[in-house]
């Protein structure tokens, strides 16, 4: 397999950065475009997925959203759904321009929050070849209910505080991305803290904050409603013991999508990213690709 290279592209006047894996075969071939979920960055095991796709002959391009990881954008750790959608559009355009990539065979890969993003982008861009959504956020109210009333109230207050600070031109009000059960954090279900930490490579400086303004938007973000408009092959993988993104909405979305495929695993939300479950889930993704987007 050829060595990955650093890439960058512009989105909204700022630079997004990532990696490109060219695969080892000649000519033009399909490319899988990947970005992480809620506040994740490319170092949190997206390289493991991209390497597996490249080893099977698929080009792969991984990127960080603006305000996160290696990409530009200030203040840091600002999660804006509309801006991330535009980053995806810019990433798709860049992937189509890369050497060795067939622009008509772009596959979108998203996980957790970005599992919903790729559904949204696929509904808008009918030329996408296929979509993979791993443990996806597809229904805002269901995700909010999973968080519980008390945590929603606390995060809602933090969100309003951050929005007021933004209006006044002040620095964001941050909360931790993940914490122990009962902590004020974006994710604090049992096992969440340990699950996220397993994704962070040794020595990597992971920024564990997020601007709280995003929390008032999550309940209104339901990409699964677009399922009937996603007409390309769409693989949806869920974890039945997921306490972060419930499996029910994903099952319904797969049934409503014209070419939806659904696989359930007896796992928790973060188990799918790491061994031993990783090999099973990524192998199912590769099987899906070989059936629908051949090298």
């Amino acid at each position: 397999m050829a060595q990955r290279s650093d890439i960058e592209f512009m989105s909204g006047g700022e630079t997004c950065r990532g990696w490109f894996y060219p695969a080892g075969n000649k000519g033009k071939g399909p490319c899988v475009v990947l970005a992480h979920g809620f506040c994740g960055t490319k170092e949190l095991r997206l390289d493991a997925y991209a390497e597996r796709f490249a080893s099977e002959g698929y080009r792969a391009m991984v990127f960080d959203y603006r305000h996160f990881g290696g990409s530009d954008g200030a203040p840091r750790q600002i999660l804006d759904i509309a801006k991330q959608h535009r980053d995806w559009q810019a990433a798709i355009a860049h992937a189509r321009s890369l050497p060795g990539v067939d622009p008509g065979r772009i596959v979108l890969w998203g996980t957790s929050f970005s599992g919903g993003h790729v559904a949204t982008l696929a509904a808008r861009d009918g030329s996408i070849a296929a979509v993979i959504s791993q443990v996806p956020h597809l229904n805002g109210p269901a995700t909010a209910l999973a968080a519980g009333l008390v945590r929603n109230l606390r995060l809602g207050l933090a969100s309003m505080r951050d929005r007021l600070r933004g209006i006044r031109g002040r620095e964001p009000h941050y909360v931790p991305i993940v914490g122990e059960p009962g902590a004020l954090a974006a994710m604090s279900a049992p096992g969440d803290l340990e699950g996220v930490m397993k994704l962070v490579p040794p020595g990597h400086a992971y920024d564990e904050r997020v601007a709280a303004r995003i929390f008032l938007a999550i309940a209104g973000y339901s990409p699964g409603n677009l399922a009937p408009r996603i007409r390309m092959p769409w693989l949806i993988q869920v974890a039945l013991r997921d306490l972060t993104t419930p499996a029910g909405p994903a099952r319904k979305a797969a049934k409503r999508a014209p070419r939806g495929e659904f696989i359930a695993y007896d796992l928790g939300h973060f188990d799918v990213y790491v061994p031993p479950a990783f090999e099973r889930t990524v192998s199912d993704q590769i099987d899906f690709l070989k059936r629908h987007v051949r090298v």
Side-chain angles (χ1 to χ4, degrees):
M1 184 180 69
Q3 186 69 27
R4 79 183 185 198
S5 58
D6 294 334
I7 56 100
E8 59 182 46
F9 57 90
M10 300 301 293
S11 179
E14 295 175 305
T15 302
C16 290
R17 296 183 177 87
W19 302 317
F20 177 62
Y21 296 74
N25 46 8
K26 296 180 180 180
K28 289 183 177 287
C31 181
V32 183
V33 182
L34 308 89
H36 228 306
F38 192 90
C39 302
T41 58
K42 60 186 182 298
E43 288 82 7
L44 274 60
R45 285 194 57 79
L46 290 194
D47 53 345
Y49 290 91
E51 287 169 4
R52 287 288 278 112
F53 295 141
S55 71
E56 297 290 339
Y58 294 89
R59 289 88 178 131
M61 192 189 93
V62 179
F63 73 96
D64 285 332
Y65 302 108
R66 284 175 286 171
H67 304 279
F68 290 92
S71 295
D72 292 345
R76 302 303 291 168
Q77 303 297 109
I78 301 291
L79 200 168
D80 182 292
I81 294 170
K83 287 182 75 171
Q84 291 196 347
H85 287 173
R86 291 193 287 274
D87 293 347
W88 267 102
Q89 290 173 321
I92 293 166
H94 185 71
R96 285 175 168 150
S97 73
L98 289 171
V101 171
D102 180 347
R105 290 191 288 167
I106 298 294
V107 177
L108 307 186
W109 184 101
T111 187
S112 195
F113 210 57
S114 69
H117 288 350
V118 294
T120 302
L121 271 294
R124 295 175 180 173
D125 185 349
S127 65
I128 296 298
V131 186
I132 297 171
S133 292
Q134 177 181 266
V135 291
H137 166 94
L138 293 178
N139 184 278
T143 297
L145 284 172
L149 178 60
V150 172
R151 185 149 65 96
N152 281 327
L153 289 174
R154 295 175 71 193
L155 291 175
L157 290 172
S159 184
M160 288 188 283
R161 178 181 175 184
D162 185 37
R163 291 191 179 202
L164 286 173
R165 290 178 68 88
I167 291 170
R168 295 169 180 168
R170 301 173 67 184
E171 285 295 304
H173 172 60
Y174 293 104
V175 300
I177 293 169
V178 65
E180 296 282 2
L184 178 61
M187 296 178 285
S188 60
D192 280 356
L193 181 59
E194 296 82 0
V196 170
M197 291 301 103
K198 287 180 181 178
L199 307 185
V200 182
H204 176 63
Y206 177 53
D207 195 335
E208 300 177 41
R209 311 167 298 156
V210 62
R213 64 196 67 179
I214 181 57
F215 298 118
L216 288 177
I218 291 174
Y221 183 46
S222 296
N225 293 339
L226 300 172
R229 294 170 50 188
I230 301 172
R231 301 193 173 278
M232 63 288 294
W234 182 20
L235 174 62
I236 301 176
Q237 297 169 295
V238 304
L240 295 176
R241 291 186 275 118
D242 195 329
L243 301 177
T244 303
T245 53
R251 188 186 300 272
K252 292 178 182 177
K255 290 180 179 179
R256 297 177 66 213
R259 301 178 68 184
E261 298 183 20
F262 180 83
I263 304 176
Y265 307 92
D266 186 22
L267 300 169
H269 184 81
F270 292 101
D271 295 335
V272 300
Y273 299 95
V274 295
F278 166 76
E279 185 56 37
R280 180 182 173 194
T281 54
V282 76
S283 292
D284 287 338
Q285 295 170 13
I286 291 168
D287 174 71
F288 168 80
L289 290 175
K290 287 183 175 179
R291 287 186 287 110
H292 295 293
V293 190
R294 295 182 179 178
V295 175

